[in-house]
């Protein structure tokens, strides 16, 4: 629903904005006090995800027919 804070939550968890109250952590790293570690972990996860996607896309791509 509108105004529920979905976008704000994602922005906090990706360290784009600091939380104004409360506590948030990603993989055990505090987003307010350890934003560099949070970003490093997210970058590593995204790189691994991209590698898996590349492998699957390559394996699923149509192969040329033999003449």
């Amino acid at each position: 629903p509108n105004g529920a804070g979905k976008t704000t939550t994602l922005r906090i968890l990706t360290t784009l904005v600091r939380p104004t109250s409360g506590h948030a952590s990603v993989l055990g790293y505090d987003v307010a006090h350890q934003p560099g570690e949070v970003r490093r972990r997210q970058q590593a996860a995204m790189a691994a995800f991209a590698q898996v996607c590349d492998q699957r896309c390559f394996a699923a791509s149509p192969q040329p027919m033999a003449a």
Side-chain angles (χ1 to χ4, degrees):
N2 293 336
K6 299 175 294 294
T7 300
T8 301
T9 299
L10 287 175
R11 287 179 178 165
I12 290 169
L13 293 176
T14 56
T15 70
L16 295 175
V17 297
R18 292 178 61 89
T20 56
S21 64
H23 172 80
S25 63
V26 174
L27 298 172
Y29 295 97
D30 187 292
V31 297
H33 298 105
Q34 299 170 293
E37 286 300 320
V38 170
R39 285 192 291 276
R40 272 189 277 286
R41 299 302 188 257
Q42 289 171 342
Q43 288 171 349
M46 290 304 293
F49 179 76
Q51 186 176 19
V52 168
C53 288
D54 287 346
Q55 290 170 352
R56 289 187 180 190
C57 290
F58 179 75
S61 64
Q63 302 299 317
M65 294 180 62

